[in-house]
């Protein structure tokens, strides 16, 4: 996982695409939120966000 992050950061620096970083971070956070709340009582409230 660490090598992937290093390579992704090198790609962003080389191509000057720093605007991709917030998009990827938000997607990872939302994905983690959905995975962590999959079987809990909070799940119905998460679906109202989408």
């Amino acid at each position: 996982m660490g090598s992937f992050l290093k390579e992704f950061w090198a790609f962003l620096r080389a191509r000057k695409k720093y605007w991709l970083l917030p998009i990827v971070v938000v997607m990872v956070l939302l994905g983690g939120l959905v995975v962590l709340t999959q079987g809990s009582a909070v799940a119905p409230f998460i679906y109202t966000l989408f």
Side-chain angles (χ1 to χ4, degrees):
M1 185 66 173
S3 64
F4 172 75
L5 293 176
K6 285 182 187 178
E7 189 172 337
F8 183 66
W9 180 248
F11 168 78
L12 292 178
R13 286 182 51 202
R15 303 280 195 267
K16 305 269 193 279
K17 296 194 181 286
Y18 298 111
W19 55 271
L20 282 175
L21 191 60
I23 295 170
V24 171
V25 169
V26 167
M27 286 176 54
V28 167
L29 289 175
L30 286 176
L33 181 68
V34 168
V35 167
L36 290 176
T37 61
Q38 187 66 28
S40 71
V42 184
F45 301 109
I46 298 298
Y47 293 119
T48 61
L49 294 175
F50 303 104

